[in-house]
Amino acid sequence: MKYIKLFENFEELSKKITDSTAKSGYSVYVPEEAKKQDYSELDNYMFFANLENIKKILLNSSAPLDFDIRANLGKKELLEALEHRTFFDEYVFDFFDAYSSSKERLEHFSKLVSDYFKYEAEKTTGFLQSYLLFERDYRLILTAFRAKKLK
């Protein structure tokens, strides 16, 4: 039997992954000795998946398969969190305040992603901080290459 090792004990996430991987012959293995730091690292990853789901909502994607199951909020919970200004950090709501229409938000969505990497890197330490900074720099370099190619 093949295993997917998760370093977190999020029952909801484990259930989703177990349901989606059962057909492929994989099982989910969650160690019992997860550290608090591991929880925050997984939360950080799941938070980025929430941002990707926000983009899908802005694109008016109604198909449930388009929604990233790795996020810790479903479509309904995500919409409620945005409406009631809960769960997310202030920079997410500042983004929504700055741009009123879905079209503007989609055009400037890269700013929200950039803010995510900037603020989350400030809050974290160690490997996760290094990874977030690397990912941000990588995206900036790819943007520069695309701009140079268009020139």
Side-chain angles (χ1 to χ4, degrees):
M1 182 173 282
K2 301 173 187 174
Y3 288 96
I4 296 174
K5 184 177 180 184
L6 296 177
F7 54 89
E8 292 305 327
N9 191 10
F10 285 96
E11 293 176 23
E12 193 173 315
L13 176 66
S14 297
K15 183 179 178 188
K16 287 179 185 177
I17 292 176
T18 303
D19 292 345
S20 65
T21 58
K23 296 174 188 168
S24 63
Y26 287 90
S27 295
V28 176
Y29 170 68
V30 182
E32 294 177 15
E33 301 168 0
K35 299 177 185 174
K36 274 190 173 183
Q37 183 181 4
D38 294 335
Y39 284 103
S40 65
E41 289 176 4
L42 187 61
D43 268 343
N44 195 297
Y45 176 75
M46 294 166 80
F47 190 83
F48 185 73
N50 285 323
L51 291 182
E52 291 296 320
N53 286 340
I54 288 174
K55 185 175 185 179
K56 291 174 183 171
I57 287 173
L58 293 174
L59 289 169
N60 293 323
S61 178
S62 59
L65 294 177
D66 288 345
F67 226 62
D68 192 346
I69 64 168
R70 295 171 293 181
N72 51 0
L73 295 178
K75 189 172 186 175
K76 182 180 176 185
E77 294 90 6
L78 186 60
L79 291 171
E80 287 176 6
L82 292 173
E83 181 182 341
H84 299 295
R85 300 179 75 89
T86 59
F87 186 75
F88 292 104
D89 291 327
E90 196 58 37
Y91 66 89
V92 175
F93 302 117
D94 291 343
F95 172 80
F96 276 88
D97 292 341
Y99 307 106
S100 56
S101 72
S102 290
K103 183 179 178 185
E104 286 178 328
R105 290 173 180 162
L106 282 171
E107 288 175 2
H108 300 282
F109 192 78
S110 59
K111 181 185 181 330
L112 180 60
V113 173
S114 176
D115 288 347
Y116 162 78
F117 287 117
K118 179 181 170 187
Y119 290 111
E120 294 301 322
E122 289 174 3
K123 292 190 323 187
T124 59
T125 59
F127 172 77
L128 185 59
Q129 181 182 38
S130 299
Y131 175 75
L132 290 171
L133 293 172
F134 166 76
E135 184 75 25
R136 183 172 184 263
D137 291 344
Y138 174 74
R139 289 171 182 257
L140 288 172
I141 291 169
L142 288 179
T143 303
F145 279 138
R146 275 185 255 137
K148 177 123 174 119
K149 188 176 181 180
L150 290 175
K151 192 175 181 181

